[in-house]
Amino acid sequence: HTPGWKYHYWEFKGVPVRLEIGRREYSDKSVTIARRDGLPKKTVPLDKMIDEIHATWIDIEKNMYKNALEYLKKMTLITDKPEEAQGFKGLVLTLWDGSKECAEELEQTVGKPVLGEVVESPIPFNLDFNKTICNGRKPDRYVLLGVTY
């Protein structure tokens, strides 16, 4: 197999870093750490390899979390007016009173099924619970609507 095939194979498996040890690294008693998230390679001495790999894993995890959170924010509409969500391609977060009747009305208005109640989220949302929904009902929680594939 070619090096490109091997790189892709292990990247596809989810291995976060690739260690490169060639003639130059062998003679310098070093190792090159290649990140799989696209950021630059780093050459480190062998005696600091374990600490650098650990620090790289932590950095990769933070980078992945940041990217995932940005994408979640981009793909989530937070609204107290469910009719605004019609045709939105993503998740919809809105107010709910917890009743089946209100869930059915929200599903019809938004055009997406209810996925469940939102108890906690990394995205801050401050919708007004004093607003009335579903034929004059008072909401007391948040609901998530969306399509699963």
Side-chain angles (χ1 to χ4, degrees):
H1 295 289
T2 65
W5 183 91
K6 288 186 275 189
Y7 297 162
H8 176 72
Y9 176 79
W10 288 106
E11 190 171 327
F12 189 72
K13 289 227 178 235
V15 177
V17 295
R18 181 180 72 244
L19 301 179
E20 297 176 355
I21 304 172
R23 289 182 184 175
R24 186 178 331 125
E25 286 87 4
Y26 180 77
S27 65
D28 293 345
K29 292 188 175 24
S30 65
V31 64
T32 299
I33 300 171
R35 295 172 59 134
R36 304 262 171 143
D37 61 352
L39 293 176
K41 297 178 184 181
K42 181 180 356 181
T43 302
V44 297
L46 275 176
D47 60 340
K48 295 187 177 168
M49 178 181 74
I50 300 296
D51 293 334
E52 282 296 326
I53 290 171
H54 184 69
T56 301
W57 287 346
I58 290 171
D59 194 42
I60 288 171
E61 182 180 18
K62 287 178 184 174
N63 193 32
M64 288 174 64
Y65 181 83
K66 180 182 73 75
N67 291 341
L69 188 57
E70 286 173 10
Y71 185 74
L72 180 63
K73 286 178 181 177
K74 182 177 103 177
M75 295 303 294
T76 304
L77 175 65
I78 301 169
T79 182
D80 57 0
K81 298 177 186 119
E83 57 278 359
E84 290 177 347
Q86 232 170 11
F88 179 74
K89 301 227 185 289
L91 299 171
V92 178
L93 188 133
T94 191
L95 300 169
W96 186 36
D97 69 353
S99 70
K100 185 177 181 180
E101 298 81 25
C102 186
E104 289 170 353
E105 185 178 325
L106 286 171
E107 287 178 343
Q108 194 159 23
T109 303
V110 174
K112 298 176 186 283
V114 169
L115 298 176
E117 179 181 349
V118 178
V119 178
E120 132 181 22
S121 171
I123 302 173
F125 38 83
N126 298 313
L127 298 177
D128 185 12
F129 281 111
N130 293 321
K131 184 175 172 66
T132 58
I133 56 160
C134 302
N135 297 323
R137 297 180 181 190
K138 284 286 206 185
D140 61 355
R141 61 193 81 188
Y142 299 105
V143 67
L144 187 66
L145 296 100
V147 177
T148 60
Y149 298 96

